Amino acid sequence: MRRRSFVQLALLACVIAGAATAVAVAIPWLPVSAAKERDRIDVVYWLATGIAIMIFSIVVAAILFSVVRFRAHPDDDSDGPPIHGHTKLEIVWTAIPAGLVTAIAIVSAIVLHDNGIASGKDPLRVAVTAEQFTWSFRYLNGEAKGVVSPDLYLQVHRPVRLEITSKDVVHSFWVPEFGQKQDAVPGQVNPLVITPTKVTGLGRSYPIICTELCGLGHALMRRAAYVLTPAQFASWARTARGQAAPAPSPAPPSSSGGASAAGARVFAASGCSSCHTFTPAKATGTVGPDLDKLPAEARRAGQQLEPFVRESIVNPNAYVEPGFPKGVMPANFGTTLSKHDLDALVQYLVQGSKRAGT
Ligand code: CUA
């Protein structure tokens, strides 16, 4: 009789485990993996999921079995048998979970260690800066050395070590397909290694998502990560370096050609396009006011165009265009931009909005 009960209990547990496994395996709970690090993390996930299914099925089987088998009759008011502790059982149900948790801890520690190493030949290094509400990526070595980009371009199977920091508040870097998150903290550099395994090309991308509530634009703080073939990456790097080449020419702000190229660069590097529309920069953001309409906005504020633009960058809460909330535009550009860059940006916006507005 006891043996038959045990067999019934075991069969019930197997049925429940089968159903739980089907739910775990048949539904794609996570986005596809596109990085070696993510594959390793998935091993830990599956280990923990397997353990959870095992315990779940044993517990649910025991409950269902007991409910049916030991049900009291409606007229049975007697007490159950007096039961004291069962030392052997208590040792078993302490030792088994302790062993399982230790196993997960050991596997996790190995994965964490391996995921922290940018192995392989010629790993890339990229400085990542988060700010309200965009990202910027500065290439520290390799073919793209010196390039600053608002999106992340990677080469398939070539590890990259991101060195992540923030200009203002705490943000967090996350690409679901790469499977890891890393905080971006002001005054601190946090590393994150990614070894991409799937090529997206330039027509498709993975989303880079800020996953730390960082202000009103948090939900829109998104950029793209592209994974390229070695040839595509080299060609992108060549083009990007070509565009970045005339950077350190300290042209006087009055010479309009140099100033406008410098202004365009500051506009791109400061992430203005993630929040604003500005036709000369092909920017289409809608979080903040439309910069094509700056002349009309300056008239509404009762100011001359150039001082209005400058004040709106340095002290953005002095005048806020009706229909937009206060305190969204970062107030620190006056300290993070050099005077030369600020002048170039102001000129770029003044000239560009005059042209766009006509
Ligand atoms: Cu940056 Cu949320």
Side-chain angles (χ1 to χ4, degrees):
M1 188 63 193
R2 261 181 100 181
R3 188 181 183 126
R4 221 181 103 206
S5 299
F6 186 76
V7 172
Q8 284 171 345
L9 190 58
L11 279 175
L12 190 55
C14 287
V15 171
I16 294 163
T21 306
V23 170
V25 175
I27 299 172
W29 295 101
L30 299 172
V32 289
S33 166
K36 238 189 207 173
E37 290 73 19
R38 164 69 192 280
D39 293 341
R40 295 194 192 107
I41 292 170
D42 283 358
V43 170
V44 185
Y45 268 25
W46 282 117
L47 174 67
T49 304
I51 291 172
I53 288 175
M54 194 179 81
I55 293 173
F56 174 80
S57 47
I58 292 171
V59 169
V60 173
I63 290 172
L64 290 179
F65 185 82
S66 307
V67 164
V68 175
R69 193 52 165 316
F70 304 114
R71 180 190 295 269
H73 293 287
D75 54 350
D76 179 2
D77 292 333
S78 63
D79 285 338
I83 295 171
H84 298 283
H86 190 301
T87 312
K88 241 191 228 163
L89 200 58
E90 281 171 15
I91 290 174
V92 169
W93 79 42
T94 306
I96 292 179
L100 293 175
V101 171
T102 308
I104 297 176
I106 291 171
V107 175
S108 301
I110 294 170
V111 166
L112 264 179
H113 171 263
D114 290 352
N115 277 2
I117 300 170
S119 56
K121 54 179 193 299
D122 207 15
L124 280 172
R125 277 177 59 225
V126 178
V128 180
T129 307
E131 66 186 290
Q132 291 169 319
F133 296 97
T134 193
W135 301 93
S136 80
F137 301 91
R138 188 159 51 85
Y139 288 76
L140 301 174
N141 67 350
E143 303 91 308
K145 189 175 176 183
V147 168
V148 178
S149 164
D151 293 307
L152 180 60
Y153 295 82
L154 299 174
Q155 182 181 320
V156 69
H157 299 310
R158 181 173 178 184
V160 60
R161 183 186 154 88
L162 302 178
E163 297 173 7
I164 302 171
T165 190
S166 167
K167 270 189 197 169
D168 37 44
V169 299
V170 179
H171 306 267
S172 182
F173 178 95
W174 183 40
V175 176
E177 287 79 1
F178 296 157
Q180 307 170 85
K181 288 179 180 177
Q182 182 61 284
D183 279 355
V185 182
Q188 191 175 316
V189 176
N190 293 337
L192 184 72
V193 173
I194 299 167
T195 313
T197 52
K198 287 196 177 72
V199 174
T200 64
L202 289 164
R204 215 164 57 83
S205 63
Y206 300 126
I208 296 170
I209 298 169
C210 177
T211 172
E212 187 78 63
L213 185 59
C214 57
L216 279 172
H218 161 69
L220 297 144
M221 189 169 162
R222 293 189 172 213
R223 300 300 318 192
Y226 299 90
V227 180
L228 308 178
T229 64
Q232 282 173 330
F233 184 77
S235 137
W236 165 79
R238 252 195 319 278
T239 315
R241 282 190 74 161
Q243 282 164 0
S249 65
S254 54
S255 79
S256 63
S260 121
R265 217 160 32 237
V266 177
F267 188 89
S270 306
C272 309
S273 62
S274 55
C275 291
H276 295 284
T277 291
F278 191 50
T279 306
K282 298 191 181 71
T284 56
T286 54
V287 175
D290 184 339
L291 302 181
D292 288 339
K293 304 200 172 93
L294 278 171
E297 287 154 5
R299 271 196 301 279
R300 259 195 294 281
Q303 294 182 43
Q304 293 294 311
L305 181 56
E306 184 174 329
F308 171 69
V309 171
R310 185 176 296 270
E311 184 189 67
S312 297
I313 296 169
V314 174
N315 185 13
N317 293 320
Y319 169 86
V320 178
E321 175 68 7
F324 293 93
K326 257 186 178 221
V328 176
M329 166 90 175
N332 59 353
F333 283 119
T335 50
T336 57
L337 291 177
S338 71
K339 189 180 176 309
H340 174 252
D341 283 356
L342 180 62
D343 289 342
L345 182 60
V346 170
Q347 286 312 317
Y348 177 63
L349 290 169
V350 166
Q351 305 302 333
S353 64
K354 274 185 185 162
R355 270 198 303 276
T358 51

